[in-house]
Amino acid sequence: MRLPNFDETLSKRVLLIGSATPVRRLDAVSSATSRDVFVKQDDQTSALYGGTKTRKLEFILQAATAAGADSLVTLGSWASHHIIATALHARRLGLGVHAIVSPQPRNLYVEHALHRCMEADVALYPADSGLNSAFVLWKVLRELRRKGKCPYLINLGGSSGAGMLGTVRAAIELTQQIAEGQAPSTGPIYVALGSGSTAAGLALGLVLSGQQRRIRAIQVTSGMVVNRFVLRRLLMAGADLLVEPRARRTVVNAASECIEIDRSMLGRGYGWPCKESDATIALANVDGLPLEATYTAKVLSALLAAPLEHGPALYWHTLATPQPPPVGELTLPQWYDGQPRD
């Protein structure tokens, strides 16, 4: 089923993660749900900037350097963790980052994220909307090439074949922790559905490891950004790199069947908290697990709102550990108009 160079493919990476991220039981959440709830703490992938984005970047940066890139171009929202993670990790390799950013609800959290991008010397290019991003992206790439640069394009959220390798590797890491008794061997895995590659990569990696588990993918972005078609395309991109041609369709079908899209916590859309966010954040704090309102809290809220489920569950914590607020005046891009916060 696997290609002969399967292990070699997963070992060719820019080393950003030193060891497996821990799994632990969430006692307060378990008590509230009357089931054993565990967390896979991918906030601890890197001391520089953690989260599952870092897993993808190990392989994306490897592909970029192998292609001779001298700069990176990517897309995201104003407060994109993907852009911040890309900038901080790419800076170590001497790669500049250019990012096309789209609006989201304004708040202090967004301004902190923009400040961090400015600190990391990210060249930010505003787009009026997600659809307008494609045109701005084309202009940025054209201008960089006109100047003799060799830019490498990173898809939204790092969702690509290369990015998929990082989350496939994460799934294999989890199977080892299951074998060692650190993580539950049954029950659903709850994960945010943002750009799609984390859910797809986990499903693909578990199938390739002989474990078909339910992946409850909690939608936090628009269905236009990620849907079953996008997930299947991502699964095919990962399978093309790891699976023998004759087995690819079978493997992709099996992985696709593992993923359940849950839109119950999307609410007003990307960047908006759900009505359960505050209570979920307070409960997670009892377990020493910091959440934010618009992404991680939505995922754990969906788990808490599943009263008909029994048995263990695993929450995959995808975002980096929250950083302390910047000291002093925020540095914001000139185009950010500073309208009243939502």
Side-chain angles (χ1 to χ4, degrees):
M1 180 185 295
R2 297 177 177 181
L3 286 172
N5 63 344
F6 178 88
D7 293 328
E8 180 185 354
T9 299
L10 290 180
S11 66
K12 287 183 178 178
R13 58 192 176 107
V14 173
L15 186 61
L16 305 177
I17 304 170
S19 60
T21 57
V23 176
R24 65 181 175 96
R25 186 177 187 270
L26 296 174
D27 294 335
V29 175
S30 296
S31 178
T33 57
S34 300
R35 62 193 298 197
D36 289 324
V37 179
F38 296 80
V39 59
K40 173 71 166 164
Q41 294 211 223
D42 255 20
D43 55 322
Q44 298 182 26
T45 51
S46 167
L48 176 63
Y49 199 86
T52 301
K53 305 293 186 189
T54 304
R55 292 190 181 274
K56 303 175 191 178
L57 285 168
E58 287 195 314
F59 292 91
I60 291 170
L61 294 178
Q62 172 67 32
T65 54
D70 54 20
S71 53
L72 306 174
V73 179
T74 191
L75 308 92
S77 64
W78 287 343
S80 169
H81 286 266
H82 162 65
I83 293 173
I84 298 172
T86 300
L88 293 176
H89 289 296
R91 188 162 55 178
R92 289 183 167 183
L93 301 176
L95 296 171
V97 175
H98 301 258
I100 292 83
V101 290
S102 301
Q104 68 179 90
R106 293 179 177 87
N107 53 45
L108 189 58
Y109 170 77
V110 167
E111 294 181 4
H112 287 175
L114 286 170
H115 174 84
R116 296 204 70 190
C117 286
M118 297 293 286
E119 279 190 322
D121 295 323
V122 181
L124 296 171
Y125 305 85
D128 295 335
S129 65
L131 293 176
N132 179 240
S133 294
F135 177 64
V136 179
L137 172 65
W138 173 78
K139 289 200 302 182
V140 170
L141 287 170
R142 182 186 65 175
E143 183 63 16
L144 288 172
R145 288 167 180 151
R146 188 186 68 80
K147 292 178 178 179
K149 296 288 188 180
C150 183
Y152 183 89
L153 176 61
I154 303 176
N155 292 346
L156 180 72
S159 292
S160 63
M164 284 280 291
L165 296 178
T167 46
V168 167
R169 193 172 180 276
I172 295 171
E173 177 181 299
L174 177 64
T175 60
Q176 181 62 35
Q177 291 175 311
I178 292 170
E180 295 170 356
Q182 300 177 38
S185 59
T186 60
I189 298 173
Y190 281 75
V191 65
L193 185 64
S195 59
S197 61
T198 300
L202 291 178
L204 181 61
L206 288 169
V207 167
L208 291 174
S209 300
Q211 290 216 11
Q212 285 190 249
R213 294 273 291 274
R214 256 193 318 146
I215 307 293
R216 291 292 299 276
I218 312 305
Q219 190 120 34
V220 297
T221 55
S222 165
M224 293 180 63
V225 174
V226 62
N227 46 54
R228 297 217 68 93
F229 172 77
V230 171
L231 288 172
R232 188 168 185 87
R233 182 164 51 81
L234 288 168
L235 288 169
M236 286 300 302
D240 284 347
L241 299 174
L242 297 169
V243 182
E244 293 180 354
R246 62 182 180 180
R248 284 173 190 162
R249 185 176 297 275
T250 300
V251 169
V252 167
N253 287 343
S256 181
E257 290 172 3
C258 292
I259 302 173
E260 300 174 0
I261 298 177
D262 182 340
R263 298 181 175 87
S264 63
M265 296 297 162
L266 184 57
R268 295 176 66 179
Y270 179 75
W272 294 97
C274 60
K275 61 181 175 26
E276 296 86 354
S277 287
D278 288 346
T280 299
I281 290 170
L283 179 61
N285 279 339
V286 177
D287 280 315
L289 184 68
L291 303 180
E292 49 70 48
T294 66
Y295 219 93
T296 50
K298 288 186 175 184
V299 181
L300 197 57
S301 292
L303 190 156
L304 290 165
L308 299 181
E309 284 190 352
H310 303 283
L314 177 69
Y315 159 60
W316 199 287
H317 191 54
T318 56
L319 292 187
T321 301
Q323 300 293 315
V327 177
E329 186 175 349
L330 295 175
T331 302
L332 298 172
Q334 290 184 352
W335 49 260
Y336 185 76
D337 57 21
Q339 292 182 10
R341 297 178 188 129
D342 296 295

